[in-house]
Amino acid sequence: MKILVINGPNLNMLGIREPDIYGKQTYASLVEQIEAWAQRLGAEVECYQSNHEGDIVDKIQAAYGVFDGIVINPAAYTHTSVAILDALKAVGLPAAEVHISDVNAREKFRHVSYAGMACAAHFIGLGFDGYRQALEYLVRDGTNG
Ligand code: DQA
């Protein structure tokens, strides 16, 4: 099983960025942990991070026929991007949404998730462990619904 993990804007700044909200661990450390978790689950994984909405749309489109599932934390684009929602729907791959922080306990504008509407499972406010749970979900239960 091949899983694509997509992280959106500013997640490359993990460790520096608002550590009281996102923790002190870096993006590089997140990638290391994701690779270790995937290996343990017997899955292949590619981690991709971009600050650009169109690049994320391109990456989702390119996943069609190549990957078996997508873990996505669209970061700020979660709350704004119909294009990312449409791309996820277009490829129809099993997808799981992750947010490090509990978006539902934060500002109101973070309560809406467009991308989440195309995701079968949601791991919110669990820190980095949300990525582990999302990988596990896709390996064990991932379907198109
Ligand atoms: C985030 C939550 C978003 O609201 C925010 O814009 C992010 C990160 C999270 O992982 O908690 O950049 O997706």
Side-chain angles (χ1 to χ4, degrees):
M1 177 161 201
K2 279 184 82 171
I3 299 175
L4 175 62
V5 179
I6 298 177
N7 278 291
N10 301 305
L11 290 168
N12 55 315
M13 295 289 285
L14 284 172
I16 297 167
R17 170 189 190 203
E18 299 179 274
D20 46 319
I21 296 176
Y22 300 111
K24 289 187 180 148
Q25 297 188 78
T26 62
Y27 177 71
S29 151
L30 174 63
V31 169
E32 259 178 46
Q33 290 174 63
I34 287 171
E35 287 172 352
W37 289 324
Q39 198 179 16
R40 226 177 296 155
L41 289 164
E44 265 182 65
V45 77
E46 179 184 327
C47 292
Y48 175 80
Q49 190 278 329
S50 175
N51 294 324
H52 306 282
E53 184 176 13
D55 289 348
I56 293 171
V57 169
D58 286 345
K59 192 70 186 176
I60 293 168
Q61 289 184 7
Y64 182 75
V66 176
F67 288 92
D68 304 300
I70 297 176
V71 172
I72 186 161
N73 181 350
Y77 291 139
T78 305
H79 319 299
T80 61
S81 180
V82 176
I84 291 174
L85 165 64
D86 285 350
L88 288 169
K89 284 170 128 178
V91 299
L93 290 168
E97 176 183 21
V98 173
H99 296 288
I100 295 167
S101 67
D102 183 359
V103 283
N104 296 314
R106 297 180 64 193
E107 304 96 322
K108 245 199 155 131
F109 66 84
R110 295 185 203 273
H111 298 187
V112 171
S113 171
Y114 289 103
M117 294 172 196
C119 295
H122 313 267
F123 301 90
I124 294 173
L126 303 168
F128 283 11
D129 200 57
Y131 293 88
R132 185 187 62 75
Q133 294 186 35
L135 288 170
E136 213 172 88
Y137 165 78
L138 286 177
V139 170
R140 306 239 157 99
D141 314 302
T143 66
N144 283 327

